[in-house]
Amino acid sequence: QVQLVESGGGLVQPGGSLRLSCAASGSIFSDNVMGWYRQAPGKQREMVARISSAGNTNYVDSVKGRFTIARDNGQNTVYLQMNSLKPEDTAVYSCNLETGWGSKWYNYWGQGTQVTVSS
């Protein structure tokens, strides 16, 4: 069983910065992808940023140049550095882990952390 524990959410003013962390534990295979998704009220959940065990990253266009995703050396923690925050970034941010081998691929989610960008 895999558990994901998120931290770092909160209230920040427009133009400010916030750093989210997600610590993963359990049976994590070497082949995996960790990422951050967000969902605002009345909107679909969207992928914000992802990083693979190989270090490959991808971002939704709206955060490119502002957000950076990274992993620690043990690949058990993923970070999302969010700069130049905008009100439209306000959402519940959830950590995601996809891991497995062969034809078996598992998907895990954290509990979510609220990010509010407002004056």
Side-chain angles (χ1 to χ4, degrees), residues 67-109:
F67 292 9
T68 303
I69 190 168
R71 306 176 64 138
D72 71 358
N73 290 338
Q75 298 186 349
N76 64 340
T77 302
V78 64
Y79 306 94
L80 185 66
Q81 179 66 47
M82 305 183 293
N83 298 326
S84 302
L85 283 161
K86 305 174 180 179
E88 47 263 48
D89 295 317
T90 296
V92 174
Y93 286 70
S94 298
C95 182
N96 172 260
L97 170 67
E98 300 170 44
T99 187
W101 64 278
S103 62
K104 298 295 183 180
W105 196 251
Y106 302 93
N107 192 298
Y108 301 92
W109 292 92

Side-chain angles (χ1 to χ4, degrees), residues 41-53:
K43 300 181 67 176
Q44 300 272 5
R45 183 172 64 188
E46 68 174 349
M47 186 277 293
V48 179
R50 304 202 314 166
I51 183 167
S52 72
S53 49

